[in-house]
Amino acid sequence: MRLPLLLGLILSLLACTPAPQPVVRISGPTMGTSYHIAWAGSEHDRETLQQQVDARLVAINRSMSTYDPESELSRLNRGLLPAGADGWVRLSADLTEVLALALQVWRDSGGAFDVTIGPLVNAWGFGPQARPEHIPDAGFIRTTLAAIGSDAIRLDAGQQRLQLQKPLYIDLSAIAKGWAVDEIAAILEQHGISGYMVEIGGEIRTAGSKPDGQPWRIAIERPPLQDDGREVALVITPANTGLATSGNYRNYFEEEGVRYSHTIDPASGYPVQHNLASVSVLHESTALADAWATAFSVLGAERSLQLAEQHRLAVFLLTKEPAGFVQRTSTRFNALFPLAAETQEN
């Protein structure tokens, strides 16, 4: 009689144990790319959350897209936002916050991250216009350099207003996607969701764990042996943080045997020539991870590691050496992922 009694007790306990929540997934187009969101929760939240996510992303695009001619940022770039007699222009809370973060990284990176660099990006053929037949000459570069510079931006974040010391073209594409990831994560948390992954155009934020209790696992890509391939350098579990990766190995062109990267140095006006192929940054702010990844792509490995140590940033770099790709990491990264620090990529 004991076996049936024990079996009945086990079945009773199993019946009382709640079934694990499913992984709910939604996706859609945004910001010239796409978003993918997964969370541990109930399917009945899917429609409500997708509506809120889509609405928030539409609002962000209307504020800071450079592809929408009627966005707030596009109108600012064309001088169409009303200014007071003193030249101050009122901005939305969203645009003010992203500009403040962009200027913070501009200062901390010594100018390597500069949201006014768009005219140079366009001149080298990496903007929305058609690529020019030839690379720009030195005179044109000098003239264009004089027309850029975040030092000409005066931002009063407390009053949500901006004053430009000269006409500028501001492009927030190197920070806006990361910031949007943080905004979407905030929506999930407002719904009581503690385990999730949010990705927009390669910028990622994770929190908590999956329904089975396992952490979210994220692969960091390594430059492939062939241009159209994909390889994994490292798989990490970046709990409760944002991750952004920037690379110089996919978007480029060649002319007369010279390869020109899409990453333009704001100091020289020319594409970077160093051997840093890829950099990944982890930060509690995905927006700051996004911006720093771009700054480090400009600076190269040595200066990037110096700044990473100075600002206690978790950074994973891959440099192109004669023998192959070599992994380099910051102290903060090694503390977060000690096993990764023991592996050298070749």
Side-chain angles (χ1 to χ4, degrees), residues 84-298:
D86 54 4
W88 286 96
V89 176
R90 293 287 178 183
L91 302 178
S92 67
D94 285 356
L95 189 54
T96 299
E97 183 174 338
V98 176
L99 276 169
L101 292 172
L103 291 174
Q104 174 186 328
V105 180
W106 170 71
R107 289 188 294 268
D108 290 345
S109 67
F113 181 76
D114 194 328
V115 295
T116 72
I117 200 174
L120 280 169
V121 174
N122 293 339
W124 283 96
F126 295 108
Q129 295 89 359
R131 178 165 294 151
E133 292 185 7
H134 302 288
I135 64 173
D137 60 40
F140 182 85
I141 295 296
R142 287 194 298 271
T143 301
T144 308
L145 276 172
I148 72 168
S150 287
D151 55 338
I153 300 175
R154 295 181 60 193
L155 181 68
D156 182 349
Q159 296 295 318
Q160 291 182 205
R161 60 180 188 168
L162 170 144
Q163 188 181 72
L164 299 179
Q165 303 302 296
K166 62 184 178 183
L168 292 171
Y169 177 83
I170 298 173
D171 185 344
L172 299 173
S173 60
I175 189 172
K177 288 192 293 295
W179 189 78
V181 166
D182 292 332
E183 289 294 293
I184 300 309
I187 291 176
L188 298 177
E189 292 174 3
Q190 289 165 8
H191 282 263
I193 296 172
S194 58
Y196 60 78
M197 179 182 70
V198 179
E199 181 266 338
I200 300 178
E203 321 308 343
I204 299 172
R205 185 179 191 86
T206 65
S209 58
K210 295 185 285 187
D212 60 4
Q214 295 297 309
W216 303 95
R217 292 163 55 84
I218 306 299
I220 295 178
E221 188 176 295
R222 176 173 57 194
L225 297 177
Q226 297 181 353
D227 287 345
D228 59 349
R230 288 183 180 273
E231 298 181 14
V232 173
L234 188 68
V235 176
I236 59 174
T237 55
N240 305 316
T241 192
L243 169 67
T245 297
S246 181
N248 291 320
Y249 55 92
R250 286 195 181 278
N251 194 3
Y252 64 89
F253 71 88
E254 293 186 358
E255 184 171 317
E256 297 182 356
V258 179
R259 176 178 289 203
Y260 296 96
S261 163
H262 77 287
T263 301
I264 311 299
D265 185 346
S268 67
Y270 287 81
V272 298
Q273 295 292 325
H274 53 64
N275 69 342
L276 179 57
S278 173
V279 55
S280 297
V281 181
L282 291 106
H283 198 285
E284 61 184 12
S285 162
T286 317
L288 290 178
D290 196 3
W292 272 113
T294 298
F296 290 151
S297 290
V298 170

Side-chain angles (χ1 to χ4, degrees), residues 264-341:
I264 311 299
D265 185 346
S268 67
Y270 287 81
V272 298
Q273 295 292 325
H274 53 64
N275 69 342
L276 179 57
S278 173
V279 55
S280 297
V281 181
L282 291 106
H283 198 285
E284 61 184 12
S285 162
T286 317
L288 290 178
D290 196 3
W292 272 113
T294 298
F296 290 151
S297 290
V298 170
L299 292 169
E302 298 302 330
R303 183 61 179 139
S304 295
L305 286 173
Q306 292 172 4
L307 282 176
E309 298 301 327
Q310 179 182 337
H311 295 282
R312 298 191 72 249
L313 298 172
V315 177
F316 175 91
L317 306 101
L318 287 169
T319 58
K320 182 67 171 68
E321 309 292 349
F325 291 103
V326 174
Q327 165 185 317
R328 303 183 67 180
T329 52
S330 67
T331 301
R332 178 62 177 160
F333 185 93
N334 296 341
L336 292 173
F337 309 103
L339 293 179

